[in-house]
Amino acid sequence: MVRCIMPNADKMMDFVAAHAEDLASPGLSPRPSRRVAVLSCMDTRIDVLSMLGLNRGDAHIIRNAGGLVTDDALRSLSVSQRLLGTDEIVVVMHDDCGLHRASEDDYRRALARDGVLPTWRLGAFDDVEETLRHGLGRLRTAPELPAREHIYGFVYDPETARLREVHPREVGLRG
Ligand SMILES: [Zn+2]
């Protein structure tokens, strides 16, 4: 049977085969050389490495819908610190995110109609900065992470390529 459209996976296979010499990284350590882990939204407009001036081998890049501090993001960050030596975390959320003003309830209903009630939430939010602040707060109090001194959060505007820093609230630290 002839395929009308070439699936991306086929193109990817061809690309890798054609560029193996450039892509290979013999001897490059799996431990990030700049000892930083970046948690970012999966948004197509964010090219984490080039945007942040990082090269292959410099950093762990963990991505999910929203750049949210989910249990699984925390798992990866914990592995990054405890097994692979990073001690700094940068979280990148952004304006015009697909989760901004999405409906948690509608999403859940659609899943229920398909017979599934997952343990995870969509993660919809109304306020990107508040959501990022909450995520940073969670990281700052996560015992899964041995290094919590350097945790930073940014909101990226894909239209202008500007980053603005968001600081976690100091609650909890004052007791
Ligand atoms: Zn997004």
Side-chain angles (χ1 to χ4, degrees):
M1 187 177 169
V2 179
R3 283 168 164 167
C4 300
I5 300 168
M6 191 178 182
N8 279 291
D10 285 352
K11 288 184 192 167
M12 291 170 183
M13 286 283 287
D14 291 347
F15 183 88
V16 172
H19 297 84
E21 220 167 283
D22 296 334
L23 293 168
S25 48
L28 186 65
S29 171
R31 298 171 75 85
S33 61
R34 288 176 58 176
R35 294 175 30 180
V36 60
V38 180
L39 169 63
S40 166
C41 183
M42 65 188 190
D43 191 278
T44 56
R45 296 162 294 181
I46 300 176
D47 182 346
V48 177
L49 292 183
S50 64
M51 180 177 103
L52 299 178
L54 296 167
N55 293 308
R56 192 161 38 146
D58 282 349
H60 280 141
I61 311 297
I62 298 144
R63 304 191 71 162
N64 64 26
L68 301 178
V69 181
T70 59
D71 287 351
D72 197 64
L74 202 49
R75 179 185 70 89
S76 295
L77 291 168
S78 182
V79 168
S80 177
Q81 291 200 350
R82 289 180 180 267
L83 301 185
L84 293 160
T86 64
D87 53 15
E88 179 177 356
I89 297 172
V90 172
V91 182
V92 180
M93 294 182 70
H94 67 100
D95 294 324
D96 193 31
C97 185
L99 291 181
H100 191 209
R101 304 216 167 91
S103 168
E104 199 76 44
D105 290 342
D106 289 351
Y107 202 79
R108 209 164 172 78
R109 271 194 288 273
L111 287 169
R113 275 198 298 276
D114 287 336
V116 61
L117 287 170
T119 53
W120 45 265
R121 293 175 72 252
L122 171 62
F125 55 82
D126 289 330
D127 183 331
V128 65
E129 291 176 8
E130 189 55 33
T131 304
L132 178 51
R133 250 179 235 116
H134 181 265
L136 296 173
R138 184 172 178 198
L139 292 176
R140 280 192 158 193
T141 55
E144 294 92 326
L145 306 171
R148 284 173 276 162
E149 202 178 321
H150 298 291
I151 296 175
Y152 306 95
F154 300 108
V155 175
Y156 179 70
D157 177 358
E159 295 291 321
T160 61
R162 290 195 192 278
L163 275 185
R164 56 185 188 273
E165 185 165 9
V166 168
H167 297 279
R169 222 178 272 105
E170 296 295 320
V171 286
L173 298 178
R174 290 185 190 131

